[in-house]
Amino acid sequence: MTTDVTATGVGTIRSGFLGGGFMAQVHSRAARAAGASTAVLASSSLERAFTAAQDLGIDRAASDIAELLAEDVDIVHVCTPNATHAALALAVIEAGVHVICEKPLATTVADAQRLADAAEDRGVVAAVPFVYRYHPMVREARARVAAGEIGELITVDCGYLQDWMLLPGDDDWRVTSADGGPSRAFADIGSHLCDLLEFVAGERIVRLTARTRRVYEERGNRPVTNEDAVSILVEMSSGAIGTLLVSQMAAGRKNALTLELHGAQASIRFDQERPEELWVGQREGSQHLFRDPQTAHPGVARFSVVPAGHAQGYQDAFNGFVADAYAAIRGETPDGLPTFADGVRAAQLTEAVLLAAREERWVDTAPTG
């Protein structure tokens, strides 16, 4: 039996959650913002699930995934450690339930593709939270690039820098391949960067070479089995070339996801730590553009949920993503919703980065499908 925690919420979609950590907090807030009933949560034990459900205001606690699925939920949010994603997401899909699975979707390309195929076969909505797509100024950048306003793409200069693993005593379950997978820095945050680059540029990374670095061989009395930082050279399908730097050991950088595209006519830059603006560079001068639904490109205004001058941020972007996933459940086709196909792409790029670093060579990454 499940355990009552709070009064039943009101909503047309009943949402379940696997995991009770930080990401479950973000997912459950977004589900409520989308008008769903946050119905049930399961964690590694019933006791932990009960505590998390109380903390997050979720109606009931379940002991495991089977008990959660018995609650007649419409969608399950998988917010558990990386290595568990594939098995849990597959169980949800096989039950005929829609799913949002945290990234990395799986720790191998084969498992990620298996999930995407299963979701297609069962006809369920299957989404991955590449939520930075949902910053309004990311959509503005994408619209301007698509409209040809920066001209032919020449180079890209991108990065994703954090500092939460800077010190020798900093530890996390992600440092072991058993829980986090064979890649940490790239799979965790570099995947966001590459997704955003391909999304905004409207083209694919077709070749890359990479170098990885592991600074400390041990954290928390455990051997570290994946990388702290990655530098990548990329070639885009248009012939544009670029650099990507990904690190979880950049002192003072908390969540510095930056995307700068240089075209033949103009450059454009987005900085996730300053999400309300875009920098547009031209030879005769540069300018900062600020979010304003009144002047946004067609289709972009819907991502602005408050008037100009009222700051939006990460949770707003996450809310937009979940709202689109739930809209897809209702039969709509939201533009730019990241699906399991995008999760497969991230897994392909992760394997390519690790291979390129290991063998010190270029690796082709053009999609085959």
Side-chain angles (χ1 to χ4, degrees):
M1 295 288 292
T2 54
T3 305
D4 283 314
V5 177
T6 66
T8 301
V10 177
T12 57
I13 289 177
R14 286 172 53 82
S15 303
F17 303 86
L18 289 168
F22 168 71
M23 291 315 305
Q25 296 176 35
V26 177
H27 281 251
S28 59
R29 292 190 203 110
R32 284 193 200 89
S37 166
T38 51
V40 58
L41 179 147
S43 190
S44 54
S45 70
L46 182 57
E47 180 181 11
R48 295 183 73 169
F50 185 81
T51 299
Q54 282 187 312
D55 291 344
L56 302 182
I58 293 172
D59 298 346
R60 298 167 75 85
S63 58
D64 57 25
I65 186 173
E67 192 173 353
L68 182 149
L69 290 170
E71 283 291 299
D72 194 29
V73 292
D74 299 297
I75 187 165
V76 173
H77 295 243
V78 180
C79 311
T80 56
N82 300 350
T84 67
H85 290 174
L88 293 174
L90 185 60
V92 174
I93 292 166
E94 289 179 341
V97 176
H98 305 291
V99 61
I100 291 174
C101 183
E102 265 300 327
K103 39 100 313 261
L105 178 58
T107 57
T108 68
V109 173
D111 282 346
Q113 188 64 60
R114 189 174 299 113
L115 290 173
D117 292 343
E120 184 175 1
D121 290 344
R122 290 305 301 262
V124 300
V125 172
V128 178
F130 287 122
V131 297
Y132 298 113
R133 294 183 180 195
Y134 282 83
H135 282 302
M137 298 310 280
V138 164
R139 296 292 178 131
E140 182 69 21
R142 178 181 181 236
R144 287 171 177 262
V145 171
E149 293 183 22
I150 73 167
E152 180 184 357
L153 189 61
I154 299 172
T155 57
V156 301
D157 179 19
C158 309
Y160 201 156
L161 306 177
Q162 300 175 331
D163 70 356
W164 66 287
M165 295 296 284
L166 177 64
L167 304 177
D170 293 330
D171 190 24
D172 187 76
W173 56 263
R174 294 173 178 84
V175 304
T176 69
S177 295
D179 291 327
S183 171
R184 174 166 37 94
F186 184 83
D188 188 27
I189 59 176
S191 58
H192 274 298
L193 179 60
C194 289
D195 178 78
L196 205 63
L197 171 58
E198 293 190 334
F199 183 69
V200 172
E203 58 180 275
R204 297 293 198 178
I205 299 167
V206 294
R207 297 176 72 226
L208 63 80
T209 189
R211 295 294 182 270
T212 62
R213 185 175 182 193
R214 181 186 308 145
V215 179
Y216 301 118
E217 294 300 320
E218 186 176 277
R219 292 180 186 267
N221 296 317
R222 296 176 298 168
V224 177
T225 58
N226 41 38
E227 80 285 349
D228 294 303
V230 189
S231 62
I232 309 166
L233 294 176
V234 298
E235 180 182 334
M236 309 295 290
S237 56
S238 64
I241 57 174
T243 59
L244 285 65
L245 180 62
V246 177
S247 176
Q248 294 175 325
M249 297 184 66
R253 294 300 186 187
K254 303 306 178 184
N255 204 53
L257 168 58
T258 58
L259 187 76
E260 185 165 313
L261 309 183
H262 310 130
Q265 297 175 24
S267 299
I268 197 163
R269 178 183 175 88
F270 173 78
D271 180 348
Q272 199 279 151
E273 292 185 334
R274 302 175 66 91
E276 291 282 272
E277 62 188 72
L278 284 179
W279 175 82
V280 178
Q282 296 177 317
R283 188 164 183 175
E284 62 273 18
S286 302
Q287 60 180 320
H288 282 89
L289 303 176
F290 294 91
R291 180 183 63 82
D292 187 344
Q294 298 300 314
T295 58
H297 263 260
V300 173
R302 80 174 182 95
F303 300 97
S304 290
V305 297
V306 293
H310 299 76
Q312 290 184 211
Y314 173 74
Q315 185 69 56
D316 296 295
F318 215 106
N319 292 359
F321 158 71
V322 170
D324 269 8
Y326 287 9
I329 291 173
R330 299 186 181 99
E332 300 176 30
T333 54
D335 175 54
L337 175 66
T339 68
F340 275 20
D342 299 297
V344 174
R345 176 60 176 169
Q348 291 169 338
L349 290 174
T350 301
E351 289 197 356
V353 164
L354 295 181
L355 176 62
R358 185 170 61 250
E359 298 188 357
E360 298 187 353
R361 66 178 178 87
W362 286 86
V363 176
D364 290 337
T365 56
T368 57

